[in-house]
Amino acid sequence: MSWYAFLLFAHVSMAVIWIGGGLMMQFFGIRASMSGDPSRFQTLGEDIEWIANRVFIPASLLAFLSGILLVVESDFYGFGDDWIVIGLALYATTFFAGLLFLGPESGRVGKLTEAGSPEAGPRMLRLIFLGRLDLVLLFLIIYDMTVKPDFGDAASILWGVAGAAVVAGLVYWRYRVALARPAPART
């Protein structure tokens, strides 16, 4: 196996762990919200914080590092390629959103839920909403890495942005519906 093939394997594997894990967290969020059980939100918030610190952050850093090394090792890609610039900008956005807000907020929401705070429900819904928007960005990174658009190819960029905008709009609509729903009765 060549060094390049190993780096590519590491890059794709870490992206699968990071993005697949984020998708699974969304499904756990759906199940927790459908249960009406506040303790599920508490556990979910604590679990997301734990997994973010021990799995998502390391996987995203390894995906980034292996991606950088792939470009360095490559004879045909460079840091000036438009799709690499787009990918790096999207990566920075989602990495810092997770590191500085999504992970820590998950832990805070878990503690609010444990304390029985009325703030916990709306904050968990906001966290799920923002997590879903982050997932849209992650899938936009996949689009960027596979299609490899350049700024001269407006159609490829517009398709990616339009698809992401439609999904983000649906995510926002679902968030507004969830906010309008009355909170489950405490037992």
Side-chain angles (χ1 to χ4, degrees):
M1 174 186 296
S2 69
W3 178 238
Y4 186 86
F6 172 75
L7 289 173
L8 185 59
F9 169 76
H11 185 66
V12 171
S13 296
M14 292 303 106
V16 167
I17 290 168
W18 182 24
I19 297 167
L23 182 62
M24 288 302 102
M25 289 296 107
Q26 290 303 316
F27 287 123
F28 291 141
I30 291 168
R31 288 195 33 88
S33 66
M34 290 173 61
S35 75
D37 180 2
S39 68
R40 297 248 338 236
F41 275 130
Q42 172 192 344
T43 304
L44 177 67
E46 293 166 353
D47 287 346
I48 289 174
E49 179 186 35
W50 191 92
I51 290 169
N53 290 329
R54 289 164 182 82
V55 178
F56 294 160
I57 292 171
S60 67
L61 284 172
L62 289 171
F64 173 74
L65 179 61
S66 58
I68 294 294
L69 292 173
L70 277 167
V71 175
V72 169
E73 188 70 18
S74 171
D75 292 331
F76 38 90
Y77 298 129
F79 290 107
D81 291 352
D82 295 340
W83 67 274
I84 292 175
V85 172
I86 293 166
L88 289 172
L90 292 170
Y91 169 82
T93 302
T94 186
F95 176 79
F96 286 113
L99 179 69
L100 301 175
F101 181 75
L102 296 173
E105 180 69 359
S106 294
R108 290 188 291 266
V109 169
K111 288 177 179 72
L112 286 172
T113 304
E114 183 178 13
S117 172
E119 268 187 73
R123 283 183 60 181
M124 178 56 85
L125 290 174
R126 181 184 67 174
L127 186 61
I128 291 169
F129 164 66
L130 293 173
R132 288 178 182 160
L133 290 181
D134 187 61
L135 196 57
V136 170
L137 287 180
L138 291 173
F139 276 96
L140 198 52
I141 291 172
I142 292 173
Y143 178 83
D144 178 63
M145 295 288 136
T146 54
V147 175
K148 298 177 178 22
D150 63 65
F151 294 127
D153 179 14
S156 292
I157 292 174
L158 286 175
W159 276 112
V161 171
V166 167
V167 173
L170 291 171
V171 166
Y172 180 73
W173 169 76
R174 182 66 189 102
Y175 170 66
R176 299 300 300 169
V177 168
L179 280 179
R181 188 179 305 147
R186 295 192 67 107
T187 55

